[in-house]
Amino acid sequence: MSDLCSPTFEDLATRLGFSCEEAGGIFELRSPLALENWTLPVLEATIVLGAVLMLVHAIVRLRRTGDATNLVVWLGTLAFLFIIEPLLYFPDAFGVEEYIDTMFAHNVFTVEFMWGRLPLYIIAIYPLMATIAFEIVRMLGVFRQYGTFVGAACVGFVHHAFYEIFDHLGPQLRWWEWSLDNPINQPFFDSVPLPSVVVFAALWPMSLAFCVQFFVGRHIDAGRTFSGVELTWRTIVVGLLASVGTVILPAPATVIGMGSTTVRATIYAAELVILSAVAIYVLSRQWTRLRSTPADRPYSNNLVRWYSIVYLAVMAVLWFAALPDWFAAVDGVTEAGDPIGNLWYAVVCFVIAIACVTATFTIPRSQPAGADETPSRALAGA
């Protein structure tokens, strides 16, 4: 759709290997064999399958136990997505192009929406990542022991670890392309904008988790159930307020660092360090406590535990496939002209993510009756 092809997006699309002028319409379907490289359909299948399984599990859990928390996490992420993403994809259409130029472009995948802007897997990655992070923290009983705010901070930390494994690999494998000159993306941490590393990977899921737990989770933990109407408006509020939180939480960096990239980077980094320090202390202390007091374990989610392993295994394979070009890169760019992410940061995130998943497996298995929904039981009851 030519009138939606801004110069910046057209340039990014060309670098990714497709034409903005030829990018479908509201919906487009293409062969997975016709994509840029084999890693795109593998990523797409992994993310979409995981999101679907998480949705089925959330619905089954609501039907069986009355616990709507997982469903609100899943749907709340979509409410957030449809508030934020259209503005980022079509700043001209919303009249904000003077303030928000095109920040990035996704490559074309098997299933596409919105004239090549929104692959299905991007819609799916929001609820998948948020559910994994939220449920890991919930399985460790952090919300119950430390409260909503600290629990939300831990969700942000866990989400950050899982997401940055993906975030530092995408540009090299042409999953998307960042606009290097856009001031909103500055500064960059190798091939990834630091605002993405901090705001999207950590502060956004923290904001979402806080809203979910405040409006729904803590009430359900106390034994309350909600009607369909109550869940609907609470889910919409979660999406809206999570969006507001994503503006408020990084405000120190965006306001104080408005005139200096260095100041902005320093504050972003400080926020991430503080968040990480709190989360590491709380998660490790809570894991130790649950190991010694198994009766305090709140509940289990086997689907999240096992699919976390699937996700990490797939990402490890994709990273190994990218390593030859990564090590051969010169000045941060591969021979094919693709920017590389920070391998060592990704390794640290792998270690953290593996440790978090392992923690959920190493807690004694005693829990209240009916609290554990295994994948097979959940799908059978759907």
Side-chain angles (χ1 to χ4, degrees):
M1 192 172 182
S2 59
D3 58 335
L4 294 179
C5 291
S6 68
T8 303
F9 185 82
E10 179 63 37
D11 177 61
L12 295 174
T14 301
R15 281 191 264 167
L16 286 169
F18 72 96
S19 170
C20 176
E21 297 281 351
E22 300 171 358
I26 292 292
F27 172 78
E28 185 177 13
L29 186 65
R30 56 175 47 83
S31 168
L33 301 179
L35 303 184
E36 176 71 25
N37 58 63
W38 65 270
T39 68
L40 276 72
V42 170
L43 173 72
E44 187 176 34
T46 303
I47 300 301
V48 172
L49 175 61
V52 170
L53 290 175
M54 298 301 166
L55 176 59
V56 171
H57 182 273
I59 294 171
V60 171
R61 183 165 181 81
L62 173 60
R63 288 171 53 192
R64 289 186 173 179
T65 69
D67 183 356
T69 308
N70 292 5
L71 188 59
V72 173
V73 170
W74 206 99
L75 296 176
T77 63
L78 296 192
F80 173 84
L81 180 150
F82 289 116
I83 291 169
I84 296 295
E85 295 284 326
L87 188 67
L88 300 180
Y89 295 145
F90 303 109
D92 292 357
F94 288 92
V96 295
E97 68 277 8
E98 183 179 348
Y99 310 100
I100 306 175
D101 191 13
T102 301
M103 297 171 59
F104 56 85
H106 295 293
N107 210 330
V108 288
F109 284 75
T110 306
V111 183
E112 290 280 331
F113 300 95
M114 297 174 66
W115 294 275
R117 268 42 169 213
L118 184 60
L120 176 62
Y121 98 92
I122 288 296
I123 298 175
I125 202 168
Y126 277 77
L128 174 63
M129 292 284 192
T131 299
I132 286 175
F134 190 94
E135 288 294 272
I136 285 175
V137 172
R138 194 180 179 198
M139 279 188 275
L140 293 174
V142 176
F143 285 110
R144 186 178 64 171
Q145 185 68 23
Y146 291 92
T148 299
F149 185 79
V150 173
C154 291
V155 171
F157 173 75
V158 175
H159 186 283
H160 176 85
F162 276 85
Y163 190 83
E164 286 309 296
I165 295 169
F166 156 85
D167 208 16
H168 279 270
L169 183 59
Q172 181 184 338
L173 295 181
R174 298 193 178 183
W175 297 344
W176 64 83
E177 182 92 12
W178 290 102
S179 175
L180 301 180
D181 299 325
N182 192 320
I184 298 178
N185 288 340
Q186 301 295 332
F188 273 78
F189 176 28
D190 289 343
S191 67
V192 185
L194 190 59
S196 175
V197 173
V198 178
V199 179
F200 188 80
L203 299 184
W204 164 72
M206 176 181 174
S207 177
L208 175 80
F210 179 86
C211 293
V212 170
Q213 186 65 14
F214 183 84
F215 284 101
V216 178
R218 66 192 180 104
H219 300 292
I220 289 176
D221 291 342
R224 181 177 174 182
T225 58
F226 294 104
S227 68
V229 173
E230 287 179 306
L231 285 178
T232 299
W233 74 257
R234 286 173 185 269
T235 301
I236 294 172
V237 168
V238 165
L240 290 171
L241 292 186
S243 305
V244 174
T246 306
V247 175
I248 294 174
L249 290 175
T254 53
V255 174
I256 299 174
M258 188 175 297
S260 170
T261 300
T262 301
V263 172
R264 187 162 62 249
T266 301
I267 298 175
Y268 272 137
E271 286 190 86
L272 184 59
V273 168
I274 293 170
L275 176 73
S276 300
V278 170
I280 290 171
Y281 172 80
V282 169
L283 290 170
S284 58
R285 184 177 177 84
Q286 181 67 358
W287 177 76
T288 302
R289 192 181 70 83
L290 291 179
R291 292 273 293 173
S292 61
T293 317
D296 285 347
R297 183 183 181 189
Y299 92 117
S300 175
N301 186 326
N302 282 336
L303 176 60
V304 163
R305 293 192 306 187
W306 286 107
Y307 208 84
S308 297
I309 295 174
V310 171
Y311 168 82
L312 292 173
V314 170
M315 294 307 300
V317 169
L318 296 176
W319 261 106
F320 276 119
L323 285 181
D325 288 338
W326 192 94
F327 282 110
V330 177
D331 295 328
V333 179
T334 67
E335 185 177 353
D338 301 311
I340 60 174
N342 192 301
L343 171 63
W344 314 117
Y345 194 78
V347 168
V348 172
C349 289
F350 262 114
V351 171
I352 292 170
I354 292 170
C356 290
V357 176
T358 301
T360 66
F361 277 98
T362 55
I363 300 170
R365 296 298 301 273
S366 61
Q367 71 268 338
D372 188 13
E373 293 283 349
T374 64
S376 60
R377 287 173 57 200
L379 294 176

